[in-house]
Amino acid sequence: MNVPWEITLAVLGLVVPVVAALYEFAFTGRKRLGYRVQMDTTVTDLVHSEYAGALQQLRLPDGRALVDPSFVLLRVENNGVTDIDTGDYARLDHDRVGITVEFPGRKVAGLVVTEVSSDFLRDSFDRESGLGFQDGVISLPRVPMNRGAHYKVLAALESADPPANGARTEFVAPRVSGGIKGGVGSGQIQETRSRTGTSRAAVAMVLFLAAVIVAQLVVSLTKDTTAAPLDCASGRLTLSGSTAFAPVLREASAAYHHTCPRATFTVTADTSGVGVDDLDAAGRRQGSGTPPVIAFSDGPKDAGHPRVLQRPMGFLLFTLVVNKDAGVQDLTSGDIRRIYAGKITNWRQLGGDDVPVRLVSRDSGSGTRRAFETRLLGGTLEPGENSSDCRTPSGRGATGVIRCRRGTTDALLDTVAATPGALGYSELGSATARHDLLTVRINGQQATLDAADADAYPFWATEYAYTYGEPPARSLTASFLRYLTNEVGQDIIRSHGDRPCADLTDAVACGPS
């Protein structure tokens, strides 16, 4: 059997990058800890000048003033492709220390953590963390770091043997030790470089892909081209609203653009209520016709938008999510109502661990929050938040269960995963993709289509698409709505853990409740 050239070239163009990516993931970059010395400079001349100011007040631990000081700024980063936990660090002399930095020929006068990529990292540098120094060595704690996370440490140092007669000291570069178990380079921490250059592997891959593209172009020029699909529209379209449905919209719009390259999309996920309000405002400003905007909402629209038309797109399953420290994975409907009423303040009251309950909610305009209040709280609104960091109360007189809110699904999931005892709620597909938190059964039922369809699982909502008036049949707006309800669009919805309304036993139930 003769295989067409275009198929062979397409397979090569797919297989080679995939193999290269798998090699990078499995062998060279799965767990990788790196560092960069971003500054190592002496300030000897400045400290002895008349403008030294506070520099002349720097002291060694024994009280001596610095004579030949220098400053080092060190950046530590997770530059692998998976998260690093405290248990991933290779064991050093101290069970709380993950990294040591030695400064040959210098003594450490003091240090400070100057920057963290996420606020929750600051808890890793408290008094009991292992952060400290002795003589010419800094000890850094075992910091849990998500992929791409980093922190910076600024150290003030003094020469062990200050030079005589004002000579300039030449320091040896810091020696960084430590690493992670089973990581790249036998687990040792690796010095990283600024990413402004281009590696040989990247150049080789670009040249290979360029060759494949050129070869495919040559082959395609010798063949007749086929017409675009009959329902292929062009133009620009904005998809706004629900953050829970945003992953579906990103994949579906990319797939549509692949089939119809003259169509371009912008996805702006900013909660269901905001999306519908912005659509209505855009339509009123335009005056006539339908603006190129589709708003998506987890549930029916609010009153006051008579020109906004709704179409059911899918059946969204939601789930409660809980931090692993809580020690629970199954709650009854009564438990949930008592928790959000503030009657349960510690998980041990429900047989869990001795950890305080902390509630992480969505903004009031969120469709996910509205579904939670309707389906699980019986229409009762959640109380307002009393904390910004989800750990401590904010403002005078703040009491009771800690309550905070987050603006997006991803932000809520990040906060629940990082906050001991935290409980929140999310669209099912986004929650099950995470491995740093737990989903919660409700009344013993998992979040499944069969359970929800049989009224055994209560936490779901209809996802609606909204337009301002009826869009013209040949417009990109109408074409994309049809695309979401055809076989390809329905498969994309299913791939994210949601279901098209057609999958329900009673499709009419996929509507306003």
Side-chain angles (χ1 to χ4, degrees):
M1 181 178 66
N2 294 325
V3 180
W5 272 104
E6 58 267 35
I7 295 179
T8 302
L9 292 171
V11 170
L12 284 174
L14 174 65
V15 169
V16 172
V18 168
V19 171
L22 289 175
Y23 178 82
E24 171 71 11
F25 180 85
F27 297 102
T28 66
R30 180 173 173 79
K31 286 187 180 293
R32 182 161 52 193
L33 192 63
Y35 74 94
R36 285 187 252 175
V37 179
Q38 296 189 313
M39 179 182 70
D40 190 352
T41 183
T42 61
V43 291
T44 304
D45 295 338
L46 181 58
V47 80
H48 295 293
S49 73
E50 60 180 316
Y51 305 106
L55 288 176
Q56 291 180 339
Q57 301 178 22
L58 295 176
R59 294 289 187 273
L60 287 167
D62 60 8
R64 289 181 295 150
L66 302 190
V67 178
D68 186 28
S70 58
F71 288 96
V72 173
L73 180 63
L74 181 75
R75 172 189 170 108
V76 179
E77 56 195 3
N78 177 359
N79 53 10
V81 296
T82 60
D83 298 343
I84 294 175
D85 202 354
T86 55
D88 292 327
Y89 284 79
R91 187 174 180 84
L92 294 175
D93 294 338
H94 197 293
D95 59 2
R96 291 178 301 176
V97 175
I99 300 170
T100 59
V101 187
E102 180 182 1
F103 300 90
R106 287 185 273 184
K107 295 182 178 180
V108 182
L111 62 85
V112 64
V113 177
T114 62
E115 176 182 314
V116 292
S117 56
S118 299
D119 286 339
F120 77 86
L121 289 181
R122 297 190 185 279
D123 294 339
S124 299
F125 299 99
D126 59 24
R127 294 182 178 180
E128 303 298 325
S129 67
L131 177 68
F133 63 89
Q134 184 174 7
D135 295 329
V137 179
I138 286 176
S139 298
L140 301 177
R142 301 182 179 205
V143 180
M145 303 175 72
N146 294 337
R147 182 177 62 179
H150 74 271
Y151 64 89
K152 294 183 181 181
V153 177
L154 178 66
L157 305 107
E158 168 71 342
S159 174
D161 296 302
N165 300 323
R168 185 175 298 275
T169 304
E170 295 294 332
F171 293 123
V172 178
R175 298 171 184 169
V176 183
S177 302
I180 56 175
K181 302 171 184 176
V184 65
S186 300
Q188 291 301 308
I189 187 169
Q190 301 289 307
E191 184 176 7
T192 57
R193 305 293 183 184
S194 175
R195 295 181 175 87
T196 55
T198 305
S199 68
R200 294 180 180 178
V203 172
M205 185 61 65
V206 169
L207 292 176
F208 170 80
L209 293 176
V212 171
I213 292 171
V214 170
Q216 287 181 321
L217 179 61
V218 171
V219 171
S220 65
L221 289 176
T222 64
K223 293 182 174 289
D224 293 331
T225 58
T226 57
L230 292 177
D231 199 21
C232 205
S234 61
R236 295 180 177 273
L237 182 62
T238 297
L239 310 175
S240 67
S242 170
T243 64
F245 205 58
V248 173
L249 298 177
R250 292 189 182 96
E251 183 174 347
S253 60
Y256 187 101
H257 173 75
H258 179 76
T259 303
C260 308
R262 297 179 64 184
T264 57
F265 298 85
T266 301
V267 180
T268 58
D270 47 15
T271 75
S272 300
V274 172
V276 174
D277 290 342
D278 288 349
L279 169 66
D280 194 28
R284 293 176 185 276
R285 286 195 302 269
Q286 184 166 302
S288 62
T290 302
V293 179
I294 305 177
F296 292 82
S297 172
D298 313 337
K301 65 179 180 177
D302 294 328
H305 303 295
R307 291 289 304 275
V308 174
L309 306 182
Q310 67 183 28
R311 297 167 177 80
M313 287 288 112
F315 185 83
L316 264 65
L317 288 169
F318 298 96
T319 182
L320 293 175
V321 289
V322 68
N323 184 274
K324 294 181 179 180
D325 290 343
V328 298
Q329 266 191 282
D330 189 3
L331 296 172
T332 67
S333 298
D335 292 337
I336 296 167
R337 288 192 291 270
R338 287 192 295 152
I339 289 170
Y340 279 84
K343 297 178 181 179
I344 302 295
T345 60
N346 191 295
W347 288 114
R348 66 183 174 186
Q349 295 174 252
L350 296 175
D353 294 334
D354 186 9
V355 180
V357 173
R358 296 180 171 97
L359 302 179
V360 187
S361 302
R362 291 290 309 281
D363 290 333
S364 58
S366 163
T368 306
R369 175 168 174 165
R370 180 165 51 189
F372 172 74
E373 293 171 337
T374 301
R375 296 286 179 180
L376 295 185
L377 300 187
T380 300
L381 301 182
E382 288 190 67
E385 68 277 4
N386 59 10
S387 174
S388 57
D389 63 3
C390 301
R391 291 174 180 265
T392 56
S394 58
R396 294 182 178 179
T399 59
V401 174
I402 294 295
R403 303 172 189 266
C404 63
R405 64 176 177 176
R406 293 293 181 262
T408 66
T409 298
D410 288 342
L412 181 144
L413 294 174
D414 288 341
T415 301
V416 170
T419 308
L423 177 70
Y425 44 80
S426 159
E427 180 265 333
L428 179 64
S430 298
T432 54
R434 304 284 293 250
H435 302 289
D436 52 356
L437 43 73
L438 299 174
T439 58
V440 179
R441 294 188 180 205
I442 300 176
N443 298 322
Q445 292 287 342
Q446 285 183 307
T448 65
L449 175 64
D450 291 339
D453 202 10
D455 291 329
Y457 184 80
F459 196 8
W460 59 270
T462 301
E463 184 69 27
Y464 290 98
Y466 293 92
T467 60
Y468 190 83
E470 195 69 48
R474 294 179 179 270
S475 66
L476 177 57
T477 301
S479 178
F480 186 70
L481 289 171
R482 290 191 294 269
Y483 183 80
L484 285 176
T485 56
N486 71 15
E487 292 183 1
V488 177
Q490 290 183 356
D491 285 343
I492 293 174
I493 292 174
R494 293 188 189 100
S495 72
H496 287 267
D498 305 317
R499 292 292 185 271
C501 291
D503 286 359
L504 298 179
T505 303
D506 180 10
V508 177
C510 193
S513 58

